Amino acid sequence: EVQLVESGGGVVQPGGSLRLSCVTSGFNFSEYAMGWVRQAPGKEFEWISGISGLSHTTRYADSVKGRFTISRDNAKKALYLQLNNLKTEDTAMYYCSKGTWASYAGEKRGQGTQVTVSL
């Protein structure tokens, strides 16, 4: 059974930082691109970043480029997202997603971790 478990969310002030983690099991992690998507209240899912399986090539949405950094540890079957210089508009539920590279099309995701950016 494929499982993805996110953690690391929280409440931070604008300009703050968080590091999200996603621990996976049930599939050959290194063979898959992985991504992060988010969903703000009342809005659709937004793809924000992807990373390839072996070369670790990365992609970012314009909305987070230069502020967020995606990484992975294939030995630990884990995916990470470093969030820096957070803005109030980054408030959302963040999900890691199996097989997501440059857009989100409903791939398997975890239960999410909430990021709230507020004064």
Side-chain angles (χ1 to χ4, degrees), residues 38-46 89 91-93:
R38 67 186 181 186
Q39 187 176 34
K43 296 189 176 181
E44 295 187 352
F45 282 99
E46 176 190 11
E89 54 263 42
T91 295
M93 187 72 80

Side-chain angles (χ1 to χ4, degrees), residues 8-19:
V11 180
V12 296
Q13 293 184 343
S17 297
L18 286 171
R19 187 180 191 233

Side-chain angles (χ1 to χ4, degrees), residues 54-76:
L54 295 177
S55 66
H56 295 197
T57 303
T58 59
R59 298 179 61 106
Y60 298 94
D62 288 344
S63 58
V64 306
K65 195 174 295 182
R67 300 187 298 121
F68 292 7
T69 303
I70 191 172
S71 62
R72 65 190 295 161
D73 184 330
N74 285 347
K76 295 182 178 180

Side-chain angles (χ1 to χ4, degrees), residues 13 37 48 50 54 57 65 73 79 86 98 117:
Q13 293 184 343
V37 300
I48 56 175
L54 295 177
T57 303
K65 195 174 295 182
D73 184 330
L79 180 72
L86 282 160
K98 172 179 173 281
V117 185

Side-chain angles (χ1 to χ4, degrees), residues 35-37 46-50 59 97-107:
W36 288 94
V37 300
E46 176 190 11
W47 170 83
I48 56 175
S49 186
R59 298 179 61 106
S97 179
K98 172 179 173 281
T100 297
W101 167 234
S103 62
Y104 182 62
E107 295 87 7

